[in-house]
């Protein structure tokens, strides 16, 4: 755009669009933490605790992921499954590949897990379930991001609407009309 373009709506747009992005990210974060907390509460309330007989983690570039456990259910079946909602963290000094976690690390043996008796393949480390249920900061941050982002977006939208009406545009035309140039 040249210097002679007069576009009064760009200020509220530059404010409103990032605020809307913040609101969406906050809403998605709030939905994610709500799901994890509900899942963890369900397992802690209705699940069965046991100790995993074997734990393997996938080590890539100094970080671990995909903890896989082997445990026996109360009826004696041996189950091999990946832990749900595992907390990915770093464990420097380990070579890449499937390995047993070092003693003293988050998923080191003896690892207490909680599993769903109706579907034993759904399991979660007890420490992860406790942390997800206790986490109040993430939910609060998501609420603030969503509320603040929506408030700023509404303020910017009001500014756009007011400016458009002042220029004589109907409410449905403010976003389709080309900006006036200085030559008009």
């Amino acid at each position: 755009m040249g210097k002679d373009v007069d576009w009064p709506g760009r200020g509220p747009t530059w404010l409103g669009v990032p605020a809307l992005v913040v609101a969406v990210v906050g809403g998605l974060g709030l939905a994610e933490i709500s799901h994890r907390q509900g899942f963890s509460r369900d397992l802690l309330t209705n699940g069965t605790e046991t100790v995993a007989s074997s734990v393997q983690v996938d080590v890539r570039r100094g970080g671990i992921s995909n903890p896989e456990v082997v445990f026996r259910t109360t009826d004696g079946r041996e189950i091999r499954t990946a832990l749900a909602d595992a907390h990915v963290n770093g464990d420097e000094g380990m070579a890449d590949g499937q390995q047993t976690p070092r003693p003293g690390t988050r998923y080191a043996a003896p690892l207490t897990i909680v599993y769903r008796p109706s579907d034993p393949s759904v399991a979660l480390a007890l420490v992860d379930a406790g942390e997800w249920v206790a986490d109040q900061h993430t939910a609060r941050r998501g609420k603030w991001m969503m509320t603040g982002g929506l408030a700023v977006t509404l303020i910017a939208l009001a500014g756009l609407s007011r400016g458009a009406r002042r220029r004589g545009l109907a409410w449905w035309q403010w976003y389709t009309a080309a900006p006036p140039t200085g030559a008009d």
Side-chain angles (χ1 to χ4, degrees):
M1 281 192 231
K3 288 182 175 182
D4 58 347
V5 174
D6 178 25
W7 192 359
R10 84 173 150 227
T13 301
W14 280 100
L15 179 65
V17 172
L20 185 59
V21 169
V22 168
V24 168
V25 169
L28 292 173
L30 186 59
E32 174 70 18
I33 191 68
S34 296
H35 167 73
R36 287 182 183 220
Q37 286 180 335
F39 175 68
S40 296
R41 279 190 196 99
D42 177 50
L43 280 178
L44 289 172
T45 304
N46 303 320
T48 303
E49 282 186 34
T50 189
V51 175
S53 59
S54 170
V55 181
Q56 293 288 309
V57 293
D58 189 24
V59 180
R60 297 281 179 251
R61 296 185 190 148
I64 67 167
S65 62
N66 303 326
E68 190 174 282
V69 296
V70 176
F71 64 95
R72 291 210 177 273
T73 61
T74 54
D75 60 2
R77 291 182 294 158
E78 185 172 276
I79 304 293
R80 176 180 293 274
T81 188
L83 294 178
D85 284 339
H87 183 78
V88 178
N89 62 353
D91 193 6
E92 293 80 19
M94 294 179 72
D96 287 356
Q98 284 287 111
Q99 297 192 26
T100 302
R102 290 191 290 182
T105 58
R106 183 178 196 91
Y107 296 112
L111 179 64
T112 304
I113 63 168
V114 60
Y115 69 93
R116 189 175 286 159
S118 61
D119 184 9
S121 66
V122 177
L124 183 62
L126 188 62
V127 66
D128 289 340
E131 283 184 7
W132 282 118
V133 168
D135 182 13
Q136 297 302 315
H137 289 353
T138 307
R140 193 174 313 125
R141 189 176 308 124
K143 287 176 188 174
W144 277 107
M145 286 174 68
M146 194 169 70
T147 305
L150 287 175
V152 172
T153 300
L154 289 174
I155 291 168
L157 187 59
L160 278 172
S161 179
R162 191 181 87 237
R165 283 191 306 272
R166 199 174 331 134
R167 291 189 311 275
L169 296 174
W171 69 270
W172 64 86
Q173 293 176 330
W174 70 269
Y175 61 91
T176 60
T181 61
D184 290 343

